[in-house]
Amino acid sequence: MKYNVIERGDDISKGLTERFHTLAAKQGMPRDEENPDIVLSIGGDGTMLQAFHKYADKLDHIAFVGIHTGHLGFFADWKPNELDHLASLMFSVTTPEELHVVRYPVVEIEITTDEGVETHLALNEFTIRGIEVSLVARLDVNDEMFEMFRGDGICISSPAGSTAYNKSLGGAMVHPSLEAIQIAEIASINNRVYRTLGSSMILPKHHHCDIYPKAQQNMLLSLDHKYMQRADVVSIRCRVASNVKVKFARFRPFPFWNRVREAFVGLEVK
């Protein structure tokens, strides 16, 4: 199998990266930055997001695994002192087909402008916010008008991203095996003209929502850690990506609810 490493850039992550390169060279495991079979993320969840977007067009044949060098991350199964153990398990797998992987859904975003349609993927979430003034937008669900929104913005998250920004907005935590997207409001304003649901919504696969912002509105869009300022958006379609999932290599069990408990409740079962 071919590998690559994406690391955060701090001294600990750099040291672990060099250590892994040394171990891989001894085992004859080739490094391939363009077309790896497995990508090792060393850092935090932000590092994993960088790795995801670097290989977003190759998700069908790449699996990710993470070592966290800071606080416990939802995308990282391993601690720094476990690098050698993880490496030995990785080296024991000779072909991608032998890897045990879990597959999680991602968010697909279609942005329509007067110039055409562009498609993006998000591992955690997509957000749309107003710049200088409140965001004004109509929200449709399955091609029918659902509400008129006015407020700071809207967050569309994947199940894997439901524990991130979505949680801070009061959204529900959703097990990442469920194929769904979640819509959460960011400080909505409710009056006689603009009425919103006031709680997050979960849409299953094959459903979609369309956001129609006020014409020529200056907005800030984000795809995970990537930001872009736009004033040319006609509409944005959000849904579960139909033919794409992200793959995480599992070399030992680490149940999702255990991650939630350790991250938010603070209890770690030995």
Side-chain angles (χ1 to χ4, degrees), residues 109-113 115-120 221 228 230 232:
I109 303 296
E110 287 184 354
I111 301 175
T112 299
T113 69
E115 302 299 320
V117 179
E118 54 192 74
T119 302
H120 304 273
L221 310 183
M228 50 186 167
R230 304 288 292 266
D232 61 343

Side-chain angles (χ1 to χ4, degrees), residues 165-228:
Y165 186 35
N166 167 78
K167 181 180 182 297
S168 70
L169 296 173
M173 285 182 282
V174 180
H175 194 282
S177 65
L178 300 177
E179 296 184 277
I181 60 171
Q182 186 165 180
I183 307 167
E185 301 173 1
I186 307 173
S188 61
I189 298 171
N190 283 275
N191 52 37
R192 290 181 299 172
V193 179
Y194 298 95
R195 302 298 302 173
T196 65
L197 187 63
S199 65
S200 65
M201 299 168 54
I202 297 175
L203 302 185
K205 187 178 181 181
H206 306 307
H207 287 211
H208 62 268
C209 71
D210 293 306
I211 302 170
Y212 295 91
K214 184 180 178 181
Q216 299 180 331
Q217 184 170 190
N218 198 18
M219 299 175 299
L220 183 66
L221 310 183
S222 75
L223 293 152
D224 296 323
H225 64 295
K226 301 170 66 176
Y227 290 84
M228 50 186 167

Side-chain angles (χ1 to χ4, degrees), residues 121-181:
L121 298 176
L123 175 56
N124 262 357
E125 72 272 317
F126 164 79
T127 66
I128 174 173
R129 296 171 174 269
I131 296 179
E132 298 176 349
V133 297
S134 297
L135 173 70
V136 176
R138 190 184 88 211
L139 180 67
D140 290 9
V141 175
N142 294 339
D143 303 315
E144 293 189 4
M145 180 179 173
F146 185 81
E147 64 182 25
M148 286 297 300
F149 179 90
R150 186 184 186 98
D152 284 359
I154 299 171
C155 174
I156 311 291
S157 64
S158 70
S162 67
T163 57
Y165 186 35
N166 167 78
K167 181 180 182 297
S168 70
L169 296 173
M173 285 182 282
V174 180
H175 194 282
S177 65
L178 300 177
E179 296 184 277
I181 60 171

